[in-house]
Amino acid sequence: MVALTIDNLAVEVPEGTTILEAAGSAGIHIPTLCALPEIHHNPGACRVCMVEVDRARTLVAACVYPVANGMKVKTNSRRVREARQGVMEFLLSDHPQDCNICQKHGNCELQQVAEQIGTRDITVPRTDFTVHDIDDRSEALVRDGSKCINCLRCVTVCDQIQAVNLLTPEGRGFDSRIVPAMGHSLADSACTFCGQCAVVCPTGAIVEKDHTNLVWAALEDPSKHVVVQEAPAIRAQLGEAFGMPPGTLVTGQMITALRRLGFDRVFDTNFTADLTIIEEGHELLERVKTGGALPMITSCSPGWIKFIEHFYPELIPNLSTCKSPQQMFGALAKTYYAEKEGIDPADMVVVSIMPCTAKKYEAARPEMNDSGFRDVDVVLTTRELGRMLRQTGIDLKNLPEGDYDPPMGEYSGAGTIFGATGGVMEAALRTVYAVVTGKNLPDLNIEAVRGLDGIKQAGIVIGDLGEVRAVVAHGLGNARTIMDQVASGQADYQFVEIMACPGGCVGGGGQPLPATNEKRRLRAGALYRDDGEVQRLRQSHENPSIKAIYDDFLKAPLGEKSHHLLHTHYTAREV
Amino acid sequence: MLKKIKSFEALQDIARQVAQDHQKYRLRLMVCGSNDCHLTGSNEIIDEFQKQIQQRNLEDQVQVVATGCIGSCSMGPVMTVWPEDIFYMKLQPADVGEVMDSHVEGGHPVERLMYHDPNTGQAIAHSADIPFFARQHAIVLGNKGLIDPESLRDYIWQNGYQALHKCLTALSPEEIIAEVKAAGLRGRGGGGFPSGLKWEFCANTKGDVKYVLCNADEGDPGAFMDRRIMEDDPHAILEGMVIGAKAINASQGYIYCRAEYPLALERLYAALDQARSMGLLGKNIMGTGFDFDIEIYKGAGAFVCGEETALMTSIEGKRGTPRPRPPFPAISGLWGKPSILNNVETWATVPRILFDGGDAYAKIGTESSKGTKVFAVTGNINNIGLVEVPMGTSIGEIIFDIGGGVSGGKQFKAAQLGGPSGGCVPAAYLNLPTDYEAIVKAGAIMGSGGLIVMDEDTCMVDMARYFMDFCQDESCGKCTPCRVGTKRMLQIVENICKGEGRPEDLDLLESLSHTINDASLCGLGQTAPNPVLSTLKYFMDEYRAHIEDKKCPAGVCADLFTSPCQNACPVEMDIPAYIALVRAGRLADAYKVLKRTNPFPGVCGRVCGHPCQSKCRRSQLDEALAIKNLKRFITDYVPPLRPEPIPVVHPEKIAVIGAGPAGMTAALEMKKRGYAVTVYEALFEAGGMLRWGIPEYRLPREILARELQEILDTGVVLKTNVKIGEDISFDDLKSDHDAVYIGIGAQKSSPLGLSNESAAGVIGAVEFLRDYTMGKDVWVGKRVAVVGGGNSAIDAARTALRLGAESVTILYRRERKDMPALEAEVKAAKEEGAVIDFLVAPLEILVSDGSIKGLKLQRMRLGDFDSSGRRRPRAIEGQIVRMEIDMLIPAIGQQAELDFLSPATQIDDNTKDTVAIDAGGNTILVNKDYSTDHAGVWAGGDIVTGPAMVIDAIAAGQKAAVSMDRALREAKGEQPWKETEDKIEIPVEVDEEVETLLQIRIRELSTAERSRNFSEVELGYDEDMALREARRCIRCDVKTEA
């Protein structure tokens, strides 16, 4: 342990602790715009966290400066305050001042830190800005470099966490900017649209593309039949947008809210999550039996799909051909549901609420129109739905609980846990076990694949199949580790679950900000609670609505209709 | 197959062989083969020598060697002939034949091609006697001019690799580090961190893999010492690095060198190959079992990669941006491994330290800064080049003794030390020792040793702008203060340069500087504000001039003036306009243009110090335009104007005391503004110093009379023979007038401060000249001594000669270059027979019977520098000489007579309503607008500034008039006066091509014609001469739209 004083308080912390962390432990909040507590990228770039350390010639950056025995730190001297204000003036002098119309207004760390620092004036010239084009060509993300403060968080996340390494500093000095490699548009790059950059961005420099106006227009068009589906993770975090603690399950309020917004039907993506388990489980069994490409890798995470298409195109045959639950939903809404209700699919608008920015991209993929129409018309992130609800004045907290509409609203706990890393694997193993052995798993909770460890492995003996070796990875950096093993033949897994975002969908790029591991844990906990405590059914194949859709429409897993509507193909892409 | 070196004896064998090889030749012609000498043609010279040696069959006797840089870059191409040590400079291929004939074959070195002392004009044959070399102390540059940089054998001949052998066989790592610590070696790259301590940290850090790194990413503008060491003595770096590797137990080293240094890279690669093949690098070095190899990493030339952590990040293959410290590289450096990084100069010093021992090295230099330092001396200096001096050598010694002083005869203004991270120090700091701490205290840094000399034509605000621009351009952009802050500072400085600065910008710049310094991530940002901070500290007046007066005194910031000549003129005469009018033959218009801003153009055309000419753009091509002569030409050829009296429209009455140029100008300007003006003159005629102080042979009376008359014609009333304080009291004058302007000049010669100054035969220059011009019967001695170096001294000397003195000696305590007198005047005085004795000062006036009989003179030498940047004369003990004279004219300065101001007026009686006088009692203190603290009283001219140029007095009169008029009108609530002037169209005739053409010389009386009379010496231009001279104007005032 290291003993030091911070603002005359005696503090004792473990060796290697930064001043920022040590101060935090003493109840002193040192502002920062570039530090990321769980990533430790230590750029020391924004210089907002400057503090005074005895014997140091200049101020030091608290976020990177390690504590030492006997060190005396001042976090609130005049010198410190002036330096912070100076740095903040520099940042604001090269930052647009039209905060009121920024997507991050009220949720902007730059605003918050400026407020904490007490900035009231910008004395330096503001006549010269770095000029940037706004890159809004992709479906998912909008990048506005003029709002970028070069904190390097996105660069670190894109490189160290997601292993995409697309965002990079370019140019020198005042002209240096953070751009996709070679200055390309995100739309033309290897960006996976995972949105983790948007999650860490302290300003509005990278945000989700806002599609709420499209939804308003559809809802206001009497000729349209507008249906909505919500991803498994939404129910565990929409509450955060209304100040509720992370991990609050708001399923019923969410349904009521959506209905009040004016959706004609409120369905659930969990339903098609269950369906995915049926199709994917059978696909796995078939591959095992027929000697197909193994390990089979899950395909519900569109950021992950784009990643493998760019970086491991040779492993595309290993991807499950199953569409993601969102896309299965869209394809079935405009066929199965349309037929059943006698609605012209041309008049139907399918909206989905997703934790994910890449889902916007996925819905717009050209092959996603097996219903004869674009299967999913509009994708909103959790954040966008929160904004829509706030516009209407709906106070989620105080809404009565509603219930889903049939026939695509019923779901099992297995569908819900899709929202957490390992959930797809757990759900699939439950069903595969049942299909192969005709019995339920002795313990439906497969703890080995739960939690936030980057890579989780499990081996489960499933009847005649023997031991099925499964591995779960979340975050594309971890995915890369697994893929390198698979590509080099070192892996002996049969089944791989990959989620692009850390924590899975509960850590998605479209979720309420900011994201921390603690929040991811609490959100996942809510999903497991839904599975273990709330839902009557816990296995996908037990879902009566799933049985019904096979009986009425699809006939059999991997059947012809399934093949046409629920499965897809992938495209090798260049880096 | 080369035999690997495995013993000390093997090294000595090679050294012996090389020495024998050299001795075979009678003469060795060591031609500098460095880049700069290449550019000026050293290759051709080498070829020519080789050709001629062959033709003359001298191959066995004479050898030609291309050596590394010897540092005297502005003298190149240079050659030293060994073993005689005869030094030749500025060699041309055409000179080779003469050198071969006369020197190589004839044994008579060619004096013409030698270095000539700028003061004495004497040729100096041996490089050891040339101050540039003699005052240096070469250690790290010890091999310069001696070895072929591409020859490992030559390096070994000069004791190369012996230190390494010692380190590998006789010393433990601890002992090596102890030597480096004992030497007191500090990092030569800029930081000045003790190298031995750094090595020790690293040696004590646990780790199997450690790295030795060499920073060869030299990037300061003007710095090239590291490049030269790499090019000229690459093995010294390698040897140093291997020694460092042994000290910390590393097996791999990297040299990080910018790709813009192709020759350095080529020589390094070659040296690495040679060293490996001889067993001095690689596996089992010198058979000792020690392994170490070096790889070269080529950087793309980003300045920030000179920062150690950025350099390592770059070697790691990433974008070269700095990372936070701690951890320090000695703990976690390249690829996270313990590493030591030193720059080229540091590494090249290491073998010398280990060879001679740390204690020997520590004897050189100062207490805290040991050893020698290489400086790259550039800018406005005569001897541009590389110099190595013991630390502690003053920057004045480097600039003036070694560097040969400021080029072009200009005044020294500042030295920029330490590159973009450094700072500028003014003339008052020429005694500053080159010691790490002392330089930091002065606001600069040692840096890597860049020393840029700046002369009077440098604008310090523009200079700060340049360095700020450099830093903001080279900022990596990683941290906010450096990325945005340097840009914002640059914008502010740019605004100031454009005349858009605000008074509050000065405080803002200072506070931004502190923020950037305190909050930046790496050294680049932390030091980026230094050039601004140091110029704010020492050159605040220049910033103020840009902000408050919208004026760039040095004539650099182009947005603030139309032409540099006009900018330099205190009254901003429209010089390009009247010269264009001369060219167009419109002399009457030209005269009107002259008169707009200067009531005394004829006077100024003769006796002005013409600061305009020193800024003339044409001088960059050949020679400045003769603006003074053209001005005079116009007044010579245009008949006097007969101005109508200007009507009085204001009730206020103005009094002007003193009818000199300041007073008469103020009077005219107030008259123009419609006031009743009376000038009170103590003597019987107007003109002041122009009338009484300047001899007629320089300024004929009728010229002055004409211009004074043109002023009186406007209705200015002149009352002569009225002495304020005697004939009218100052208080009465004050109460009779609404505004009083004091322009009485400085009328008394300053005494020398010796006893017997009242003896007969001693008379001050001002009194002497005035007595003569007033027609008094002036006694002149036979042997006259004049003490002083200004224009008055010269005037007194030339007048004494004209009045019959047999000999006139001007005694001056400094050197010729320090004399403030105009160059042409000094020359004329010498032509007329005056003798100037330099470095001498009167010590005692010898008197007999109340009359002067002689002087005891103290011989002087030049010591340290005073605040004006000139060396202080110091007595040479025991060197006292006697001089027989019968007349002594002190001309060392002038004093004012301020007795007319009553004590009540002078002394602050708590009303503050006084005319304040400076402590010496010689000048009146005024505000910026020339008002005194006594309401209604203004002052200007020599009485405010001390003796200055006529044009300064004219400017003072004008500015005071503007301020008086404004004050009087403001009291009545009126708007300030605006001049209505006739529109004169100025032709724009610009030659497409400018040919080299020197000034048209003015006609002069011959020495014989002028020697004993007061006829005007200069005769001016005729029309043809004037036209030709006017055509030399390149019209730099004409701005074309880009």
Side-chain angles (χ1 to χ4, degrees), chain B residues 523-555:
Chain B
L524 197 165
Q526 286 165 10
T527 57
N530 284 359
V532 170
L533 274 179
S534 66
T535 47
L536 279 173
K537 182 171 171 189
Y538 296 121
F539 300 97
M540 182 56 104
D541 51 334
E542 290 198 38
Y543 280 90
R544 291 239 165 86
H546 283 73
I547 292 172
E548 291 164 18
D549 308 332
K550 309 295 175 204
K551 207 163 157 56
C552 175

Side-chain angles (χ1 to χ4, degrees), chain B residues 340-361:
Chain B
I340 49 173
L341 173 79
N342 285 115
N343 83 327
V344 167
E345 187 184 339
T346 317
W347 283 125
T349 306
V350 166
R352 322 284 179 188
I353 290 172
L354 271 301
F355 184 83
D356 292 328
D359 290 338
Y361 188 82

